[in-house]
Amino acid sequence: MFDEEDVRAGLPKAIAAEKKLRLANSLVNVEGVVEDVNASSIDRLLGGFDLILDASDNFDARFLVNDYSVKNRIPWIYGACVGSYGLTFPILPGEGACLRCVFESAPPAGASPSATPRASSDPLLR
């Protein structure tokens, strides 16, 4: 989704992704939004959608999205990648487990691998 030119241009990920997705299909409406999701912005950012695709980089945001998804019965797909591996977790409220069903609380800071090597506690990612 991103390339070295995006880095040189200093583009936020949302804007770089928007540009790439428009190139892939100009008939799809894409709007890159550069904003933190929090309790006061989540309804404005996610309300009215039929599906949430999440690639947030912290558990606080993931739990917020999870709770919003469950409360509003909106399916969401949690996606993450670090180094050479990735995972997805589709969440269908009312039909299966949610993120809080699997993790009661966020892991302690530094306990999870990070896409930012210097922030990682995993020596293989440093």
Side-chain angles (χ1 to χ4, degrees), residues 19-104:
K19 290 175 71 172
K20 296 291 187 322
L21 291 169
R22 283 191 177 167
L23 287 173
N25 187 341
S26 63
L27 299 177
V28 174
N29 183 19
V30 178
E31 178 186 358
V33 177
V34 180
E35 184 175 346
D36 291 335
V37 65
N38 56 48
S40 62
S41 68
I42 193 164
D43 191 52
R44 180 174 43 80
L45 293 171
L46 302 182
F49 290 99
D50 298 324
L51 174 70
I52 300 167
L53 179 60
D54 169 47
S56 57
D57 62 359
N58 67 77
F59 272 90
D60 290 338
R62 291 177 191 139
F63 279 118
L64 186 63
V65 170
N66 178 79
D67 296 346
Y68 185 85
S69 164
V70 170
K71 176 183 172 189
N72 293 286
R73 302 189 60 83
I74 303 170
W76 74 288
I77 300 170
Y78 158 54
C81 65
V82 175
S84 62
Y85 70 91
L87 62 97
T88 61
F89 180 13
I91 295 163
L92 303 170
E95 295 183 34
C98 72
L99 189 65
R100 283 196 192 274
C101 299
V102 177
F103 300 102
E104 290 182 17

Side-chain angles (χ1 to χ4, degrees), residues 13 81-84 110 112-126:
K13 290 180 186 177
C81 65
V82 175
S84 62
S112 297
S114 170
T116 307
R118 63 184 175 279
S120 174
S121 62
D122 186 337
L124 296 175
L125 297 175
R126 290 189 195 163

